[in-house]
Amino acid sequence: MIKADKTFIIKRCDLQALFDVVIARGYMPVGPTVREGVIVYDELRSVQDLPEGWTEDQDAGTYRLKRRDDSALFGFNNGPHSWKKYLFPPRSKLWEGKKTDDGGFTLKEAEDTQKPFAFIGVRSCDLHAIQVQDKVFMNEHHPDPLYAGRRDQALIIVVNCGQAAKTCFCTSMNTGPRAESGYDLSLTEILEGDDHYFVAEPGSAKGFSLLAEIPHTEAGGENITAAEKCTKRAVEQMGRKIDISDIKELLYRNYGNERWDELEKRCLACGNCTMACPTCFCSKVEDVTDLTGDHAERWREWDSCFTMDFSYIHGGSARKTVRSRYRQWLTHKLAAWLDQFGASGCVGCGRCITWCPVGIDLTEEVRLIRDSENQKDIANG
Ligand code: SF4
Ligand code: SF4
C-alpha cells in the first residue's frame, strides 16, 4: 500500500533537475543506457542518456532490444549488468609495493578515489541483492573497506517495475516488484495519454532533501492508484515462479539426484550466470610485477565457482566435474546461503536465465528436482 502522506509527483519535464541536483552534490550518476544492443549501467549525464522508448524481449538464453510504442524512460527490466560492478568492482587494486634503494620494500594500500555514486533506476530485486551483498561485505567481523566506503556514500534512487520480463520471479522470492524500504528516493513511472510523470516517495533524510530541490507537487489519490496499478501489472506479467517452500531441505536431500547428470551434459561451465548474478561475490587475488621486479601489485578480481581453479587445493580441484560445480552453485545460492547469511542468495532477477548461453533455468531445475521426489513417492506408494 502506498502511503499518501509522503507521496509526491515529479513531472517528466522536471526529471532533469534530479540529475542536476545529484551532480551538484558531488555524486556520479550511474544507471541504465543503451549500448551495443543491450541496456547496461554506465555513467549518465542527463535524462537523454536513459533508454527512452526502449524495451527488450528476454527468455532463457535470449535478449533482444526492441522499440516501445511510447516514450517510457524505464520501460524495461534487468540487463546483464548489476550494481555490484560499482560496489564490488570486477577488478580492484588492493595494494602496491616498491623496492627501495636500501634493499627494503615499501607497501601502500590502494585508496579509493571514486566519487560517491548515485544509482538511478535500482529495481526492487536489485535493492535486495545489494542488501544480500551487504551481509557479505559489511559484516561486523570482516568488513570490506572498498565496498563499505562506496555503499555508505551511495545514493539509491529506485524505479519500481511497471512490467516484468519472462525471466523475472521476484514475487516468488518476496523481493519485488515494488521496493518497500532501503532507498533514498523511489519513483514509479506513469504514462497515461499525454500525462507522463513519476510518483515519488522519499525513503530517507537524503531523499527528502533531494526532493526539496526538484520541482514537485503532492500526489493525489488518482496518482497513487496509477502507481498501484503499475505494480499490479508487473505482478501479473511475472514470467516465472519457483516454489521455495523447504527449498534448503529439498536441495540438501537431493545431493545425488540424477538431474545433476543432465546438467553436466548441458552446462558449459562458462560462469556467465555468476558474472551476471547481482549477489555472487566470489573473487580471487592475483599478484603482478613489472619486468624490473622493483614494483609489485596485488589485485582482486571476480571469480566463479564454475572454474576448475576455484576449488583448487593442494593436489587438485575439489570439484572436478561440471555436475559438481553446477550443484555447488545452485545449492549455495538457494540453500547454504540461508545457513550462512540467514537470507536466500537469489533475488529472482532472472539474469542467470537470460545470460546462460544454453538457456539453463534454475526455476526449472528446482521444479524438476521436486517433481522427481514426488514421482519417487508415488512409485513407492
Ligand atoms: S541466481 Fe539468477 S535469478 Fe537469482 S539473483 Fe542470481 S542471477 Fe538473479
Ligand atoms: S549454467 Fe549456463 S551460464 Fe552458468 S556456467 Fe553453466 S552454461 Fe554457463
Side-chain angles (χ1 to χ4, degrees):
M1 201 60 185
I2 299 176
K3 292 190 192 101
D5 59 340
K6 53 172 201 168
T7 308
F8 305 90
I9 298 298
I10 300 174
K11 288 192 191 147
R12 157 68 179 87
C13 56
D14 290 324
L15 196 68
Q16 181 57 39
L18 172 70
F19 284 78
D20 297 342
V21 178
V22 158
I23 292 167
R25 290 189 177 192
Y27 291 100
M28 178 197 274
V30 290
T33 194
V34 174
R35 188 171 348 113
E36 295 174 20
V38 287
I39 295 171
V40 294
Y41 294 151
D42 207 345
E43 184 174 358
L44 305 175
R45 289 171 202 285
S46 74
V47 171
Q48 262 117 49
D49 291 334
L50 291 169
E52 180 170 351
W54 286 104
T55 191
E56 81 285 82
D57 268 336
Q58 298 197 47
D59 210 335
T62 303
Y63 181 103
R64 292 282 178 276
L65 211 54
K66 63 176 191 190
R67 276 284 176 199
R68 295 175 61 94
D69 57 10
D70 61 21
S71 56
L73 295 171
F74 295 94
F76 50 86
N77 295 102
N78 290 315
H81 288 180
S82 73
W83 308 98
K84 83 172 176 185
K85 77 172 195 160
Y86 297 112
L87 296 174
F88 164 47
R91 202 161 181 266
S92 53
K93 188 155 71 176
L94 299 177
W95 56 255
E96 63 183 299
K98 276 190 189 135
K99 261 191 192 164
T100 53
D101 293 341
D102 59 4
F105 191 72
T106 58
L107 195 139
K108 194 167 130 238
E109 271 189 46
E111 278 170 34
D112 188 17
T113 54
Q114 174 61 52
K115 270 187 189 182
F117 289 112
F119 294 156
I120 297 182
V122 178
R123 305 304 178 137
S124 182
C125 59
D126 273 359
L127 187 58
H128 282 81
I130 292 172
Q131 289 160 356
V132 167
Q133 286 214 325
D134 289 351
K135 289 177 187 283
V136 179
F137 292 115
M138 291 174 76
N139 69 74
E140 57 179 315
H141 303 298
H142 305 289
D144 181 78
L146 178 75
Y147 182 98
R150 291 185 176 196
R151 172 73 167 107
D152 283 341
Q153 292 188 70
L155 183 76
I156 297 197
I157 300 172
V158 152
V159 170
N160 290 312
C161 291
Q163 64 179 56
K166 283 190 202 135
T167 44
C168 291
F169 57 102
C170 64
T171 43
S172 297
M173 304 309 296
N174 299 317
T175 57
R178 205 184 116 70
E180 300 296 339
S181 61
Y183 52 76
D184 293 301
L185 185 66
S186 104
L187 302 173
T188 307
E189 184 172 25
I190 309 291
L191 283 117
E192 284 175 337
D194 292 338
D195 282 347
H196 190 174
Y197 63 91
F198 293 86
V199 173
E201 295 163 85
S204 70
K206 270 197 274 183
F208 271 104
S209 95
L210 201 64
L211 190 66
E213 292 193 48
I214 304 165
H216 66 276
T217 53
E218 271 187 33
E222 71 283 10
N223 308 124
I224 292 173
T225 305
E228 285 173 346
K229 257 198 219 161
C230 185
T231 301
K232 190 164 173 274
R233 188 169 60 233
V235 170
E236 285 166 0
Q237 287 178 6
M238 204 58 49
R240 278 170 163 75
K241 59 183 177 189
I242 184 170
D243 175 3
I244 55 162
S245 56
D246 79 339
I247 186 80
K248 188 175 88 173
E249 293 75 15
L250 176 82
L251 291 172
Y252 285 173
R253 273 199 308 270
N254 280 283
Y255 195 71
N257 197 292
E258 288 165 5
R259 192 65 210 161
W260 308 121
D261 299 325
E262 290 305 309
L263 285 157
E264 166 90 26
K265 293 180 204 152
R266 290 180 69 203
C267 176
L268 310 172
C270 64
N272 266 15
C273 47
T274 52
M275 300 294 119
C277 178
T279 66
C280 277
F281 60 83
C282 290
S283 62
K284 61 184 171 189
V285 168
E286 298 275 346
D287 289 343
V288 289
T289 55
D290 63 13
L291 288 176
T292 65
D294 290 343
H295 176 245
E297 292 181 355
R298 176 163 288 180
W299 288 79
R300 177 172 74 180
E301 293 173 7
W302 285 359
D303 202 356
S304 169
C305 53
F306 281 91
T307 69
M308 189 76 143
D309 285 351
F310 185 78
S311 63
Y312 185 87
I313 46 173
H314 179 68
S317 180
R319 294 187 207 103
K320 291 193 177 63
T321 61
V322 174
R323 172 189 194 277
S324 65
R325 280 177 254 154
Y326 187 89
R327 182 180 59 198
Q328 150 65 24
W329 178 72
L330 189 75
T331 307
H332 188 207
K333 192 100 335 219
L334 292 170
W337 217 297
L338 293 164
D339 286 333
Q340 207 175 354
F341 302 110
S344 174
C346 175
V347 296
C349 73
R351 287 183 178 91
C352 58
I353 305 171
T354 300
W355 296 98
C356 174
V358 292
I360 294 175
D361 170 355
L362 81 170
T363 65
E364 189 188 7
E365 296 311 323
V366 168
R367 183 178 55 76
L368 290 170
I369 289 171
R370 201 179 278 288
D371 286 355
S372 71
E373 274 200 341
N374 293 340
Q375 277 155 17
K376 266 189 213 145
D377 287 349
I378 293 167
N380 293 336

